Amino acid sequence: MSGLCGWFSREPAALAPADMAAPFARTRAVRSAGHGLGSVALVAGLDEASLYHRQGLLIASFGVRADTLARLWRTHGARACAALTGHFAFALLDERGAEALLAVDRCATHPIFYRMAGRSLLFASSGEALARHPGGGRELDPQALFDYLCLHAVHGPRSLFAGQRRLAPGECLHLHGGRVERIGYWRMRYTEHAAAAAPHTELADALSCTVEAAGARQEAGLMLGGGCAGTLLAHLLQRGAEAPVNSYAVGFGIEGGAALSGARAAARRAGSRHREQCIDAADVADAVAALARACDAPCGDPGAVAMLFAARMARADGLLRLHGAFGAAQLFGRGSRYACLARANRYERLPGALRQLLIEPLLFGPGARLAVLQGLRTRIEAAMAPPLLRLRNRNALLVQGAADIFEPAFLELVDPDAPANAQHAAWWLAQARSSVNRALDLDLQGDLPCRIVPAFAAACTAAGVQAVVPYLGDAVVAMAARLAPRHKSGKGPRRLFLRALRELGAAPPARSASAPVLPFGRWLQSDARLRALACDSLSTLAGRGILRRAFIDLLLARRLPEDPAAHGDTVWRLMMLEHWLAREGRDSAFAEASAETPALEGAALGQE
């Protein structure tokens, strides 16, 4: 695991940064440096990050050279962030100007957490490392735990530890004049009416630029699912490579081999050297402990199991990096989450007179009692609901009601409406007009940087390789922002990728080809070891005063058999939460009230 950490203060440090870096330094050496106002520690390969210390300027940086940052800082100050490209995260401490600057890239692929402790600014790449500092605080934030269970991840700016905050995508933290200021230096702005003559060509060119910038293709592999996004990435990685690129696919169970036919065909067409592995419930049970150790927060994505085994295959082949097509769905609207918006939009495009004078009176009037029309009524009701509510109703946990799930004492510590209110605010803050772009922006700000990318990074870390996400390159993100909404809904995304593949002279994947999905809920019912692991974890979690035991019993006894797919994911998230809480003997000590967390924006550092 790699990361940075440190502090900036006029007071003596209570802990050396090298001690804060212990969560990163299990297998790597620590590089550290300091001056009169601060100190940093860096754990990473020499080609992954750099450390700079000259003339009172101290910089620890991922993704962008520290000496380049030093020149930009001296000429542009905090505005230097807007001039940077690619994936990066850095901490800059300027002793002469008594200033500090923390920043992450436009997709927050490398996280940074921070906290004000008295007159000290503490920061780290993980909440665990930050909490090791005596001023970092180890009390858990009950609102963050509630958000994790509702949203499948702790969305920024919160952290699981009370008082900590996380930088959002395209954001920096500037400490100057004794004050702390959070600055959004970049925001995704959608130009929805731009008419691109050949958007598929733009997509292929943008992704090609990102792949070329990553370089060293022979040291990298690709996790391949068989869908359009992964297939396009495979062809671009193979193009120009001196030897076949390594690709990997993971299936599940006895029937997993058949499900991997799409990935197999994509690898054959791209010319990659392909390996695949079918895992069973016993492998999943073994993977839980590895993921719990590698993740900085509870791993809310069951897909991390496949990521882990793909990364292990890559490491066994001697590779150093693993590419994944993660981010394509959130940029281009691929997946059932966005398909529900497209179906609703098709109903809204029908003539108003037809809807109001014929269809709705028939379905909700004389035909309301006809069972044969129940399915159509349900779809019409979903189409008439606000878009954000449609997305929220797909959450199996939210629809059950907080009072039936959480202990009353725990609910007193949280605001049950906070996750919905935060999503509502983010929905309307999006620089977009269409529902599909607002939904995409919601995931680009929350689910992608807080759940999906961390899961892929943790799985790769556990296997000893570096995660690479080309679809989150600046060129691809900018291209997606220019793309018209019609290319991101319904059949638009598939058509876009198919045309991009044809542009490269590649055969399109089968319509049914997609990455296999972990049947966790089904295996919970059929495998005794996996079920015992889940039941033991949930039983221990029930004793922590967070969830009602009656809810857990109902979930395992009734809900799970009724819908193994949806409620299996719920069991996964609860199980991983317990493993995270138990990892270092946390006793679920909560901060008294989330609202008492001091605001960091404008907080005084203090000067003498």
Side-chain angles (χ1 to χ4, degrees):
M1 186 177 183
S2 57
L4 60 84
C5 58
W7 53 268
F8 187 84
S9 175
R10 292 184 178 275
E11 298 175 339
L15 185 71
D19 296 328
M20 292 176 66
F24 311 131
R26 297 187 180 103
T27 59
R28 290 184 174 184
V30 180
R31 291 180 280 165
S32 60
H35 53 49
L37 289 182
S39 185
V40 296
L42 181 65
V43 180
L46 294 176
D47 60 340
E48 189 180 355
S50 55
L51 187 65
Y52 178 97
H53 186 198
R54 294 179 189 172
Q55 300 176 344
L57 187 60
L58 183 57
I59 303 173
S61 172
F62 281 89
V64 59
R65 290 183 56 85
D67 53 354
T68 301
L69 277 174
R71 290 194 298 271
L72 288 172
W73 170 256
R74 292 189 177 104
T75 55
H76 299 289
R79 296 191 302 274
C81 297
L84 299 175
T85 59
H87 298 163
F88 64 85
F90 66 84
L92 182 152
L93 312 180
D94 188 346
E95 183 179 20
R96 292 182 176 179
E99 294 183 74
L101 183 67
L102 312 176
V104 295
D105 61 56
R106 299 174 182 183
C107 294
T109 52
H110 297 283
I112 288 187
F113 299 83
Y114 64 93
R115 176 180 177 137
M116 288 299 302
R119 296 191 296 174
S120 301
L121 172 64
L122 314 176
F123 56 88
S125 294
S126 80
E128 286 278 0
L130 185 54
R132 289 182 63 86
H133 193 283
R138 297 199 63 84
E139 286 187 325
L140 300 180
D141 184 350
Q143 186 67 56
L145 290 174
F146 184 86
D147 292 356
Y148 164 76
L149 294 173
C150 291
L151 303 176
H152 311 170
V154 181
H155 290 189
R158 287 191 181 277
S159 162
L160 281 163
F161 295 97
Q164 292 187 12
R165 287 294 180 265
R166 173 180 176 149
L167 289 179
E171 190 174 53
C172 66
L173 183 84
H174 187 203
L175 186 155
H176 60 107
R179 312 289 292 180
V180 174
E181 182 182 9
R182 287 179 61 159
I183 304 170
Y185 68 86
W186 179 87
R187 179 77 188 194
M188 187 89 153
R189 289 180 173 83
Y190 299 87
T191 52
E192 301 191 345
H193 300 293
H200 55 283
T201 303
E202 290 188 24
L203 170 60
D205 291 345
L207 187 58
S208 179
C209 288
T210 303
V211 169
E212 292 291 341
R217 301 184 189 189
Q218 301 310 316
E219 299 178 359
L222 168 66
M223 182 177 176
L224 190 59
C228 293
T231 302
L232 178 60
L233 181 56
H235 280 276
L236 289 174
L237 282 170
Q238 188 59 60
R239 190 175 65 174
E242 298 177 357
V245 173
N246 292 273
S247 61
Y248 306 95
V250 178
F252 305 104
I254 299 175
E255 67 280 9
L260 292 175
S261 59
R264 206 173 298 133
R268 184 173 61 252
R269 295 186 184 107
S272 65
R273 185 187 299 112
H274 188 63
R275 281 186 60 191
E276 57 190 43
Q277 180 180 2
C278 289
I279 62 176
D280 56 20
D283 295 316
V284 175
D286 294 335
V288 167
L291 290 172
R293 288 192 301 269
C295 291
D296 180 56
C299 179
D301 189 355
V305 175
M307 301 173 195
L308 174 63
F309 282 91
R312 285 176 174 175
M313 285 191 284
R315 191 70 186 95
D317 286 343
L319 302 183
L320 303 178
R321 300 183 299 160
L322 181 66
H323 290 73
F326 305 103
Q330 291 74 21
L331 285 170
F332 299 101
R334 294 187 56 79
S336 59
R337 174 178 172 85
Y338 310 105
C340 72
L341 292 175
R343 286 193 297 268
N345 288 340
R346 285 198 294 269
Y347 176 73
E348 292 170 353
R349 286 198 295 266
L350 291 175
L354 178 63
R355 288 187 281 115
Q356 297 172 15
L357 299 179
L358 179 60
I359 298 177
E360 293 168 14
L362 175 62
L363 293 177
F364 300 99
R369 298 181 181 179
L370 297 178
V372 294
L373 298 178
Q374 178 61 41
L376 184 56
R377 273 198 307 273
T378 301
R379 296 182 66 175
I380 297 300
E381 288 173 348
M384 295 168 64
L388 190 56
L389 183 59
R390 296 176 218 155
L391 296 176
R392 199 175 299 142
N393 286 341
R394 297 173 62 84
N395 188 312
L397 191 65
L398 286 178
V399 297
Q400 297 184 47
D404 295 330
I405 299 174
F406 298 95
E407 290 285 359
F410 179 79
L411 283 178
E412 292 179 359
L413 300 175
V414 304
D415 177 6
D417 296 326
N421 291 339
Q423 285 196 312
H424 188 270
W427 177 272
W428 293 110
L429 284 173
Q431 305 294 311
R433 297 182 62 185
S434 66
S435 296
V436 66
N437 273 339
R438 289 185 185 275
L440 293 173
D441 195 75
L442 198 65
D443 282 349
L444 288 172
Q445 294 294 317
D447 209 40
L448 185 66
C450 301
R451 182 178 68 91
I452 299 173
V453 171
F456 184 47
C460 289
T461 295
V465 298
Q466 182 183 348
V468 185
V469 280
Y471 274 100
L472 298 185
D474 290 348
V476 182
V477 172
M479 180 268 163
R482 297 192 303 269
L483 195 62
R486 62 187 175 86
H487 293 297
K488 303 177 185 177
S489 59
K491 299 179 181 179
R494 178 173 173 81
R495 291 196 188 104
L496 175 69
F497 279 86
L498 290 180
R499 290 170 181 169
L501 284 167
R502 293 191 187 100
E503 182 87 3
L504 300 177
R511 182 174 295 274
S512 59
S514 61
V517 178
L518 174 67
F520 185 71
R522 181 160 53 84
W523 282 355
L524 279 175
Q525 301 176 78
S526 61
D527 186 81
R529 181 189 171 198
L530 189 60
R531 184 174 180 84
L533 176 64
C535 290
D536 290 346
S537 299
L538 268 62
S539 177
T540 306
L541 182 63
R544 293 184 180 273
I546 301 173
L547 299 169
R548 289 179 178 268
R549 188 172 293 275
F551 161 72
I552 291 179
D553 293 340
L554 179 66
L555 174 66
L556 294 173
R558 288 186 51 190
R559 302 298 186 202
L560 183 62
E562 291 173 355
D563 191 345
H567 295 291
D569 287 352
T570 300
V571 174
W572 170 273
R573 287 189 291 276
L574 297 179
M575 180 180 69
M576 296 309 292
L577 173 60
E578 172 53 34
H579 277 264
W580 183 81
L581 290 170
R583 188 170 67 186
E584 295 188 14
R586 298 182 182 87
D587 57 0
S588 300
F590 299 129
E592 292 185 4
S594 174
E596 294 179 4
T597 301
L600 297 182
E601 291 77 13
L605 175 69
Q607 295 194 18
E608 297 176 2

